[in-house]
Amino acid sequence: MPKTRAPLKTPAAHSSGGASAAMPKALLDFAANLMGAEDPVLENIRRKTPEKGLPPISIGPQEGKILETLARSCGARKIVEIGTLAGYSACYLAKALGSEGVVHTVEYDVRHAAVARQNIAGAGLSDRVIVHEGAALDVLPKLESEGPFDVCFIDADKANYHRYLRWAVGNVRSGGLIIGDNAYLFGKLHLEPKQAGEDAAGIPAMREFLKTLADLNLFSSCAMIPTSEGMAVAVRR
Ligand SMILES: C[S@@+](CC[C@H](N)C(=O)[O-])C[C@H]1O[C@@H](n2cnc3c(N)ncnc32)[C@H](O)[C@@H]1O
């Protein structure tokens, strides 16, 4: 079972990402606009998520474009996503696939899964996204026969990130990508667990996750994409 159901992202995750005194939001938004507006169907999914009673903790449009670009860059056809919410990031991942591709996305909250299925259908992507209901540590072993996978995107309970990574190492192909969102752990990654309140259990898990991504026996390279939440990515050796 998941160890925590605390909010996994702050609403600020919807910003352009990385805003700071040195890099003002106006500049980030200007640059992002030069690179194309958010797909209106996906924007509608993101904006209506809170109206449907779900927390506003999806990735933002810039992170979505990063995911789509990464998935396209490795020619992804089979993707696993851990943490569906309303299906926003699953749609970006699905856009990267050819018509034969599939995103398996895992969600333990039945309400979230139901909204995600509606949204994915509305985006015309039901033929390439399967929403699996259940706790990820129970569902992932059942997906193994569909692998090996090209991409695993981890975006659920932080206290299990190191466990999800262990699964992904065994089930993502050589040259495939493992991506983890919220790698800065809401700004608490560097703190002592006792200073981190409800995110305490996430601290050792996220640190182990990041150290493992840097293991050159397992990954040929890794990087932290400095979005506002931190998106870690590594290429499976
Ligand atoms: C941050 S949200 C995912 C956002 C989504 N990836 C997006 O950007 O559109 C995390 C989701 O993971 C789900 N979740 C949390 N722990 C889980 C677990 N152990 N197994 C499956 N889903 C889990 C939550 O219910 C929530 O819907």
Side-chain angles (χ1 to χ4, degrees), residues 2 8-9 57-59 83 85 89 107-108 112 136 155 157 164:
L8 301 171
K9 284 198 179 75
I57 56 173
S58 73
I59 58 166
L85 191 66
S89 54
E107 174 57 58
Y108 75 172
H112 297 187
D155 192 20
D157 49 330
Y164 299 146

Side-chain angles (χ1 to χ4, degrees), residues 34-48:
L34 290 179
M35 297 182 74
E38 184 178 11
D39 179 319
V41 175
L42 298 189
E43 182 179 3
N44 197 42
I45 291 175
R46 183 172 60 78
R47 291 200 187 284
K48 294 214 163 135

Side-chain angles (χ1 to χ4, degrees), residues 31-177:
N33 285 338
L34 290 179
M35 297 182 74
E38 184 178 11
D39 179 319
V41 175
L42 298 189
E43 182 179 3
N44 197 42
I45 291 175
R46 183 172 60 78
R47 291 200 187 284
K48 294 214 163 135
T49 293
E51 285 172 31
K52 294 185 174 171
L54 274 56
I57 56 173
S58 73
I59 58 166
Q62 298 314 310
E63 289 88 355
K65 288 182 179 190
I66 291 170
L67 281 185
E68 182 181 349
T69 302
L70 288 173
R72 282 187 190 275
S73 72
C74 71
R77 291 292 174 267
K78 291 194 237 176
I79 297 177
V80 170
E81 175 183 67
I82 306 172
T84 313
L85 191 66
Y88 180 74
S89 54
C91 287
Y92 273 101
L93 290 167
K95 270 156 51 84
L97 299 171
S99 55
E100 301 296 303
V102 62
V103 177
H104 295 274
T105 182
V106 184
E107 174 57 58
Y108 75 172
D109 186 310
V110 292
R111 262 178 339 122
H112 297 187
V115 170
R117 286 194 186 98
Q118 274 173 14
N119 286 337
I120 290 161
L125 293 167
S126 296
D127 59 335
R128 53 179 93 167
V129 183
I130 304 171
V131 181
H132 300 267
E133 278 178 35
L137 290 174
D138 296 333
V139 173
L140 291 172
K142 297 176 190 157
L143 298 181
E144 286 172 12
S145 58
E146 304 290 328
F149 298 97
D150 305 300
V151 175
C152 179
F153 174 50
I154 302 172
D155 192 20
D157 49 330
K158 311 311 158 194
N160 278 319
Y161 264 40
H162 59 314
R163 298 189 178 94
Y164 299 146
L165 179 55
R166 240 174 264 153
W167 180 87
V169 162
N171 291 282
V172 168
R173 68 162 165 86
S174 175
L177 303 177

